Amino acid sequence: MSGAQPSAAHGALALGLLCSVPAAVPGFVRVAGSSSAAIAALVLVASVSLVVVPTGAWLRRVAQSGAARGDRALAAGAALSALPLALFGGVLKSTTHHRPLGGATFAVAALCLLALCVALSFRVYRGGSESAVNSTWQNLFSLGCGLSLAGTAALGLAGAARPSLVEAAALAGAVAVTALAPVPARLARVGWQVWGAGWVILLACAMASLRSAPVSSTLGSRAPVSFASLSWLGDGS
C-alpha cells in the first residue's frame, strides 16, 4: 500500500468535514438545551464546513506547492476588504430586519468588493519588486492590508462575547488542522467522490432544516459565529 498523501483538495475535503464536527461543538453547547438540538447540530456542522473545507483546501495547497503570486494577491485582497466589509455588515445588521434580504445584499457587496481588492492586489504585485518604487508601493500596500485585518480583529474582539471568541477559535483550529495535518491512510482510501457526496447531502439537509424558524432564530442568537455561513437562509422575520 502506497503511503503517498492524497491531493490537497481530497485531503482538505476529508479532514475538513471531520474537523467541522468538533469545531461546531462550542456553538452546539449553547443550543443543546433547545427542543431542536439534533437539527441544530446538523446545521452547525454544515455551516462550519463551509468555512473549514474551502479555506483549509486553499491553505493546504499553498503549504504543499508554495504560495504563487495569485495566492499572495488573493490573501492581500481578502485582508484589504475585511475592515470595510465588517463595518458594512455591522450597519446592515442594525438597519435590515429581513435576514435573507440582508444576507443577499451583504453577499453581493462582499463579492464585488473582494473582486476589486483582489484585482488591485494583482495590479500591485504584478510588477515584482525589482525596482525601489515597486518595492515601496508593495510594502505600503501590504501594510494597509495588515492594518485592515488588524482593525477587523479589534472590532471583533471589542464587540464579541467570550462564547463567540471560543467559536472563532474552534473554527481557526479546524482550519489549521485541515490545512496542515497529514491525512490518515483510512481516510485517504475513501475516494473524494464519497466525501463530496457526503458534503452535498449534509448541506442539503441543513438548508432544508432551516425552514424551521425556531432553529434559525435560536442559532442566530446563541451561536452567531458558527452559524454565520448559513444564517442568511434563515427566516426573515
Side-chain angles (χ1 to χ4, degrees):
M1 179 69 66
S2 172
Q5 284 288 298
S7 67
H10 184 180
L13 187 57
L15 286 176
L17 287 176
L18 292 180
C19 289
S20 295
V21 176
V25 169
F28 176 71
V29 168
R30 304 179 68 187
V31 299
S34 65
S35 58
S36 53
I39 296 177
L42 173 72
V43 173
L44 284 175
V45 173
S47 180
V48 166
S49 73
L50 285 174
V51 176
V52 174
V53 173
T55 308
W58 176 50
L59 293 177
R60 192 175 189 88
R61 185 190 62 77
V62 170
Q64 290 182 358
S65 306
R69 185 175 298 171
D71 295 315
R72 186 181 181 187
L74 180 60
L80 185 63
S81 64
L83 183 57
L85 284 179
L87 295 174
F88 176 66
V91 173
L92 197 63
K93 183 178 180 180
S94 62
T95 58
T96 305
H97 302 290
H98 192 275
R99 182 171 293 168
L101 177 61
T105 302
F106 181 81
V108 172
L111 286 175
C112 292
L113 181 59
L114 181 60
L116 288 173
C117 290
V118 171
L120 179 60
S121 300
F122 270 107
R123 176 70 177 175
V124 171
Y125 293 124
R126 185 179 62 179
S129 57
E130 292 81 5
S131 69
V133 174
N134 283 342
S135 179
T136 300
W137 278 111
Q138 289 174 6
N139 290 336
L140 289 175
F141 185 77
S142 298
L143 177 62
C145 294
L147 290 175
S148 174
L149 199 58
T152 305
L155 283 177
L157 291 173
R162 183 176 178 181
S164 295
L165 296 179
V166 174
E167 288 182 67
L171 270 175
V175 169
V177 172
T178 301
L180 301 175
V183 181
R186 290 184 179 180
L187 298 184
R189 284 196 291 267
V190 180
W192 66 267
Q193 299 90 339
V194 177
W195 292 110
W199 193 23
V200 170
I201 293 172
L202 172 66
L203 294 176
C205 292
M207 291 178 184
S209 300
L210 283 176
R211 295 178 180 178
S212 171
V215 173
S216 179
S217 59
T218 299
L219 291 176
S221 60
R222 299 185 186 179
V225 176
S226 300
F227 184 51
S229 298
L230 290 178
S231 60
W232 63 279
L233 290 173
D235 183 68
S237 59

